[in-house]
Amino acid sequence: QQQVKQSPQSLIVQKGGISIINCAYENTAFDYFPWYQQFPGKGPALLIAIRPDVSEKKEGRFTISFNKSAKQFSLHIMDSQPGDSATYFCAASRRIYGNKLVFGAGTILRVKS
Amino acid sequence: NAGVTQTPKFQVLKTGQSMTLQCAQDMNHEYMSWYRQDPGMGLRLIHYSVGAGITDQGEVPNGYNVSRSTTEDFPLRLLSAAPSQTSVYFCASSYSSSPGGELFFGEGSRLTVL
């Protein structure tokens, strides 16, 4: 039973396009939603994170959109570049459980040049 | 600046063998954890520790043991390896167990159990 459902499983985007990855969660007690980026042969690394008191957070070309009522959040990568090709994981946690992150299944992004 | 160091990077075991995956961090982080990564399942928490001498179970703890005798080290022990434990294992640490603390991951240990 996956508490955080992520889609799509894989994604191919042309260079300069917008990459969109979606996640849905069930546990309304979750109050921290990070995205991690993983390159082949490496461990995941924090990309961007959001708390449920805001609906959007932007860092450079990366934006998280958060819809609390729908229990969904998404990652948008604007002007996608070949260097963005990686696996992306959404995650969630409950404040009282500290850093016990629950991860989505991951999305393999390929940006074609 | 080493960060989180995992050894070995690759290991092949036979069913029933035991082994220890090593994890060390040099950032004086309180919180350390072990995840396993399997295709289509993301990363799943095995065990975690909020400080030296304190450990607890995650989502998939069966077949694994951990201990935390020092702040720096958090080894993961497989007692009797099974093919279902074939996976990539990641150790991660953060400064505090409070949420919002960035998790720093090692580069992973790829384990194959025959």
Side-chain angles (χ1 to χ4, degrees), chain A residues 1-2 32 36 38 41-44 46 51 89 93-95 97-101 103-105, chain B residues 31 35 37 40-43 45 48 57 90 94 96-103 105-107:
Chain A
Q1 180 183 355
Q2 200 150 27
Y32 174 65
Y36 279 77
Q38 182 183 30
K42 301 295 184 181
L46 180 65
R51 297 191 186 276
F89 294 96
S93 70
R94 294 180 60 181
R95 188 179 302 271
Y97 291 151
N99 262 328
K100 287 176 61 177
L101 290 176
F103 283 86
Chain B
Y31 181 88
Y35 284 85
Q37 182 177 7
M41 303 197 71
L43 295 105
L45 182 64
Y48 67 98
Q57 297 181 352
F90 287 97
S94 68
S96 168
S97 59
S98 299
E102 177 180 356
L103 273 180
F105 284 83
E107 294 199 336

Side-chain angles (χ1 to χ4, degrees), chain A residues 32-81:
Chain A
Y32 174 65
F33 303 89
W35 285 88
Y36 279 77
Q37 179 188 55
Q38 182 183 30
F39 293 106
K42 301 295 184 181
L46 180 65
L47 182 64
I48 187 173
I50 197 169
R51 297 191 186 276
D53 53 344
V54 296
S55 60
E56 185 176 283
K57 182 174 182 180
K58 184 176 181 180
E59 290 185 1
R61 296 184 294 108
F62 300 90
T63 300
I64 300 179
S65 297
F66 185 81
N67 186 330
K68 189 174 181 178
S69 61
K71 294 185 289 185
Q72 295 176 347
F73 58 109
S74 61
L75 176 68
H76 292 64
I77 306 174
M78 311 300 289
D79 186 26
S80 298
Q81 299 297 313

Side-chain angles (χ1 to χ4, degrees), chain B residues 46-92:
Chain B
I46 304 171
H47 285 285
Y48 67 98
S49 169
V50 298
I54 306 169
T55 64
D56 205 348
Q57 297 181 352
E59 180 185 356
V60 288
N62 293 340
Y64 308 95
N65 274 359
V66 292
S67 60
R68 184 96 179 269
S69 57
T70 68
T71 300
E72 295 78 19
D73 300 299
F74 191 44
L76 178 71
R77 299 182 188 84
L78 282 71
L79 306 175
S80 178
S84 61
Q85 294 179 304
T86 293
S87 186
V88 181
Y89 292 85
F90 287 97
C91 179

